[in-house]
Amino acid sequence: MIVRGGLSGASPELAGLADTVLQPGFVGTEVPDWLRKRLAEGLGGVALYSRNLVDSAQVRALTAALRAENPDVVIATDEEAGDVTRLEALIGSSRPGNLALGAVDDPELTERVARGIGADLAAAGITLNYAPVVDVNSDLDNPVVGTRAFGSDPWLVARHAAAWVTGLQSAGVAACAKHFPGHGATAVDSHNDLPTVSYSAEELAATTLPPYRAAIEAGVQAVMTGHLLVPAYDPDSPATMSARLLVGLLREELGFDGLIVTDAVEMPSVAERYGVTGAAVRALVAGADAICVGGERKGAGVVGFMRNAIMAAVIDGTLPEERLAEAASRVRRLAAWSAEQRRVTWAAGTAGTVGLDPSGLAAARRALRIRGEVLPLAAAPQVVEFVSETNIAIDRATPWGVTVPLAALLPGTDGVRLGPDDQVPAPAEGRPLVIVVRDAHRHAWVSAGLDALLARRPDAIVVEMGLPGPLTPGGTHITTHGATTVSGQAVAELLAGHAAMTGMAPA
């Protein structure tokens, strides 16, 4: 029985419940002392980000060290593949992301790609993947979804959400559909501020909810909340802190009984309104089961403050003890599911399939869409790559583009990268010109630079590696539906004449 009164009088059971529902990140590639101590005391989860991951051997050692302190710990990451990769952040993803898979629209291929991702994660010792993104790309100007979504058709997104969940979980790793109830129809990035989803309940049912229904029917183990204001259901509280959305819609109407995990509660969209600890408590009260604490607030202090705030909320009656116990039980249920999957599906010493999964490159090739005629380049080209800003979910250090893979196939290829303050160079005479952009329609300076180059060289080949806009400038335009390593490789093969055209479709 929990002892009422000050925190000093709180029972160990209460501290254990509070610890169980937390999933913090940390800094470094080894387990810090504070985290070892917290795990030994019962911390229920840990979130890994690219700053923690170097290579497969290091990741396996890291997860083994975490599990040595708490065998039941849930070890999570957000390996979406595509532009948002953690296991391959230093080299770029060997698999295309959701938009490319949606462009191909072969659910069996999507399931196969996701199964490969799951095999990598399982071999690395990771048990929960904060993926797939099942947002519907309803707004081309959305600053956070883009290539992370399967597409703009709710039913296409739904069938690929189900396939991705099935493939990942068949490898023994829990999937987590996000960002509930849908981040695709917003013009604000929830990493920065609180977006509003202006759809009516009927519009939500027709657009953003079908992918969640499909993921739930496929047996998805977890759902991540979005820091989104949805006035049709709750005009006052973001979805992460709304019982009307988490219980009324997700639990009761959609029938989801798995783990509800929050998006990172230190994101300004909620932290600036409620504080990190206030956001965590409100989320638990509303029906969330696990609190993700990402990378923006680092160190042991924040985690300790959050545990204390959760205990204080139980003691003062803000957070019912039964609600916290229910949340902790769902975390433990996911941990038990993961342990059973490890027992059944993990092979000791498995090295994983990173970089060796042929379905990745095959999918990237099939995702290319071409307008105009593409002939093998007659000479090594000049490449101009416009480096536009990406959202915070995409690691800035992750390589992308076509210069490097093209130079490997056509020696003598050289490239230049341009930012918003750089002057557009005069294109070289007598050489093919390849112009590479990323979400060109969203960045006026990129569109202007592209137009300036095409005015001089209308024969240039334009490669769009982000979300395609309404226009396809250039006589020859190639859309990759993502900026992954394999997408760049697929373009390079095409331009160098090393790829068959099988499966490629006109734009």
Side-chain angles (χ1 to χ4, degrees):
M1 180 70 179
I2 293 172
V3 178
R4 305 299 175 187
L7 285 181
S8 61
S11 71
E13 290 79 12
L14 175 56
L17 292 176
D19 268 327
T20 298
V21 301
L22 296 177
Q23 295 184 356
F26 64 95
V27 178
T29 57
E30 297 181 350
V31 185
D33 290 341
W34 71 264
L35 184 54
R36 289 184 184 276
K37 180 176 183 295
R38 296 303 303 277
L39 286 166
E41 293 175 351
L43 184 69
V46 175
L48 302 180
Y49 299 91
S50 55
R51 65 174 181 269
N52 306 122
L53 312 177
V54 178
D55 55 39
S56 57
Q58 176 267 333
V59 179
R60 288 196 299 271
L62 176 61
T63 57
L66 293 168
R67 199 164 279 112
E69 301 296 337
N70 179 0
D72 296 323
V73 64
V74 174
I75 303 176
T77 194
D78 53 342
E79 178 58 49
E80 299 174 13
D83 292 350
V84 179
T85 177
R86 304 307 179 214
L87 292 182
E88 299 183 281
L90 298 179
I91 59 174
S93 180
S94 58
R95 303 175 179 93
N98 286 359
L99 191 65
L101 295 172
V104 176
D105 197 13
D106 179 351
E108 291 184 2
L109 176 63
T110 295
E111 183 176 338
R112 192 158 62 246
V113 168
R115 185 178 298 113
I117 296 167
D120 289 349
L121 292 169
I126 293 167
T127 55
L128 170 62
N129 190 12
Y130 298 144
V133 170
V134 300
D135 301 320
V136 177
N137 243 338
S138 304
D139 187 342
L140 278 179
D141 289 326
N142 186 298
V144 68
V145 178
T147 60
R148 302 167 69 194
F150 290 109
S152 58
D153 178 349
W155 301 107
L156 178 147
V157 175
R159 60 179 171 266
H160 288 277
W164 213 98
V165 166
T166 299
L168 185 84
Q169 293 190 166
S170 72
V173 176
C176 179
K178 64 183 184 186
H179 307 80
F180 182 81
H183 206 325
T186 64
V188 174
D189 185 344
S190 60
H191 290 93
N192 303 320
D193 204 350
L194 183 64
T196 296
V197 180
S198 58
Y199 285 171
S200 67
E202 293 75 18
E203 288 171 325
L204 288 166
T207 57
T208 71
L209 296 185
Y212 287 98
R213 292 186 184 276
I216 291 167
E217 290 174 4
V220 69
Q221 291 290 312
V223 169
M224 177 175 278
T225 67
H227 299 327
L228 310 163
L229 193 65
V230 189
Y233 281 87
D234 191 332
D236 302 313
S237 298
T240 298
M241 297 148 203
S242 172
R244 297 176 193 173
L245 282 155
L246 300 189
V247 178
L249 179 57
L250 183 55
R251 293 278 189 221
E252 296 175 358
E253 184 175 334
L254 300 186
F256 179 64
D257 191 42
L259 185 79
I260 299 177
V261 59
T262 70
D263 208 343
V265 292
E266 79 280 12
M267 288 163 58
S269 52
V270 293
E272 289 183 358
R273 287 167 172 78
Y274 311 107
V276 175
T277 57
V281 170
R282 286 170 179 264
L284 289 167
V285 171
D289 305 308
I291 306 298
C292 173
V293 192
E296 285 81 355
R297 304 283 184 92
K298 306 174 180 69
V302 169
V303 181
F305 290 145
M306 293 179 70
R307 179 181 67 171
N308 290 345
I310 292 168
M311 290 192 292
V314 172
I315 290 169
D316 70 19
T318 302
L319 173 60
E321 175 184 339
E322 295 76 14
R323 169 79 275 275
L324 181 60
E326 177 189 49
S329 71
R330 283 202 175 91
V331 174
R332 291 167 179 157
R333 190 171 72 187
L334 180 68
W337 181 90
S338 297
E340 177 64 13
Q341 297 305 307
R342 289 198 301 276
R343 188 186 71 78
V344 172
T345 65
W346 290 19
T350 300
T353 60
V354 172
L356 301 177
D357 184 357
S359 65
L361 182 55
R365 289 167 175 159
R366 291 176 63 186
L368 297 184
R369 296 294 179 266
I370 302 160
R371 196 204 68 187
E373 186 177 18
V374 176
L375 297 174
L377 298 177
Q382 177 191 26
V383 182
V384 177
E385 297 177 334
F386 288 89
V387 184
S388 52
E389 183 180 1
T390 58
N391 70 72
I392 196 172
I394 300 173
D395 280 291
R396 303 297 189 267
T398 301
W400 68 280
V402 304
T403 302
V404 172
L406 197 52
L409 298 177
L410 292 176
T413 297
D414 57 59
V416 60
R417 291 203 149 185
L418 303 178
D421 298 324
D422 295 325
Q423 185 174 356
V424 178
E429 296 294 333
R431 294 178 61 188
L433 175 63
V434 178
I435 309 169
V436 184
V437 295
R438 200 171 179 178
D439 298 341
H441 71 281
R442 293 193 61 244
H443 305 280
W445 72 271
V446 175
S447 295
L450 177 59
D451 290 344
L453 283 173
L454 288 174
R456 296 181 180 183
R457 289 289 303 274
D459 62 326
I461 296 171
V462 178
V463 181
E464 171 60 81
M465 300 194 77
L467 181 68
L471 303 177
T472 53
T476 298
H477 187 103
I478 303 170
T479 303
T480 65
H481 300 95
T484 64
T485 293
V486 285
S487 298
Q489 179 66 33
V491 172
E493 292 176 346
L494 177 65
L495 296 181
H498 290 212
M501 297 296 289
T502 303
M504 298 179 188

